[in-house]
Amino acid sequence: MLNWAMIRNVLVLALCVTPALAEPVRYFGYAAIACGLDDPHDASQKTDYIDEVAGFTNLNQVCLSPDPAVTADRLARMAAAGSAALFNIEPALFVQTSAGLRPNPDRAALWPLVTEAVSQSGTPPERIFFYLADEPTLRHLPPADLSDAARLVKQTYPAASLMVIEAYDPAGPGPIVPELDYWGFDAYAVKDPATEPLYLAYLDRSRALLGKDQHLVLMMDAMHTPIHQDLGISQADMAAVARSYLNLAQDRGDVAAILGYSWVGGIDNASERGVRDLPANVQATHRDIGTLLLGK
């Protein structure tokens, strides 16, 4: 999680502007929607939130299960809800080591967990966005290893899209491997990114590094934590935060997708509240944003 108050005077990025692509936001959704996570901020045992975001989203995260039948069910239900799946397949491709994220030595044995689930789900691969790894540069994954994994997915599913979300790095964005179709970065506790020079510089620099066929993803801050509160951002303020990300995406004209982190709370720790755990005005704003973007 990025605390802008701590780094405001650390980074000076040269603003590198690239002509904006005429690209309306086509996708809107959230992380961890079908990942088996139990939100600690409610009394239920619910671990799947497809029904809660159906109707105003069209790209939501599905996580890989050790049981292909479980994953296939998640993929199939996501498709039935009218949403493409952002399919997190990192566990089949990589493993966390003391040196950082590295290729999983059991990849050949684990890859069928992916292929069998896709086949059983009946979901066309072109309706799946394969999420290769989370914040790979921060976790010291060599770009060559990310490219190798991307080629494996493309060889198996040529029509599928590949995505990675990186973490903000004060040194600037790292290399963006050419095999990716969608790329973005996360930076949280920014009340209005359009008024934050560091954020805008990083966004423009990232855009300049993308290839002509690669699309920019805007990660929307959609959670509330004690850090947000300490920076003067209340739970109710998260409605205005959401609107600020929407306005930025629409003003730029080069953002293909907006993904919120997150609808469900407690992904990283119990202090995180997702949109579903925030006041009614925040939830209504998110639904309005999705409805607006998707024309529903």
Side-chain angles (χ1 to χ4, degrees), residues 39-211:
D39 191 327
H41 300 289
D42 65 24
S44 77
Q45 300 301 307
K46 187 171 187 175
T47 58
D48 186 295
Y49 309 91
I50 294 174
D51 63 315
E52 294 183 0
V53 299
F56 71 99
T57 62
N58 65 351
L59 179 62
N60 292 289
Q61 191 176 52
V62 169
C63 291
L64 184 67
S65 166
D67 183 350
V70 171
T71 308
D73 180 64
R74 292 171 177 171
L75 291 170
R77 287 186 295 105
M78 191 67 78
S83 176
L86 179 57
F87 187 16
N88 186 353
I89 59 171
E90 179 185 308
L93 301 175
F94 303 108
V95 62
Q96 188 68 39
T97 72
S98 59
L101 199 62
R102 292 293 182 268
N104 195 323
D106 298 322
R107 188 176 77 177
L110 294 172
W111 187 238
L113 297 179
V114 175
T115 58
E116 290 175 18
V118 172
S119 177
Q120 291 177 28
S121 74
T123 305
E126 59 268 23
R127 288 285 294 161
I128 298 176
F129 291 63
F130 288 88
Y131 190 74
L132 303 183
D134 194 43
E135 302 180 336
T137 300
L138 176 68
R139 298 162 70 192
H140 308 294
L141 178 69
D145 291 334
L146 184 61
S147 288
D148 179 66
R151 288 191 292 269
L152 169 66
V153 180
K154 282 291 190 179
Q155 288 167 6
T156 309
Y157 302 111
S161 295
L162 309 185
M163 184 187 295
V164 159
I165 300 298
E166 294 278 13
Y168 176 94
D169 184 347
I176 300 173
V177 300
E179 293 83 2
L180 297 175
D181 301 294
Y182 290 80
W183 181 96
F185 69 93
D186 54 46
Y188 303 114
V190 183
K191 191 167 187 178
D192 184 353
T195 64
E196 174 49 72
L198 297 178
Y199 187 100
L200 292 177
Y202 200 92
L203 190 59
D204 283 326
R205 177 60 180 157
S206 300
R207 174 67 264 181
L209 293 172
L210 291 174

Side-chain angles (χ1 to χ4, degrees), residues 133 157 224 275:
Y157 302 111
H224 190 268
V275 175

Side-chain angles (χ1 to χ4, degrees), residues 265-282:
I267 295 177
D268 296 304
N269 57 70
S271 69
E272 290 179 355
R273 288 182 173 271
V275 175
R276 70 192 299 271
D277 309 310
L278 294 176
N281 70 305
V282 181

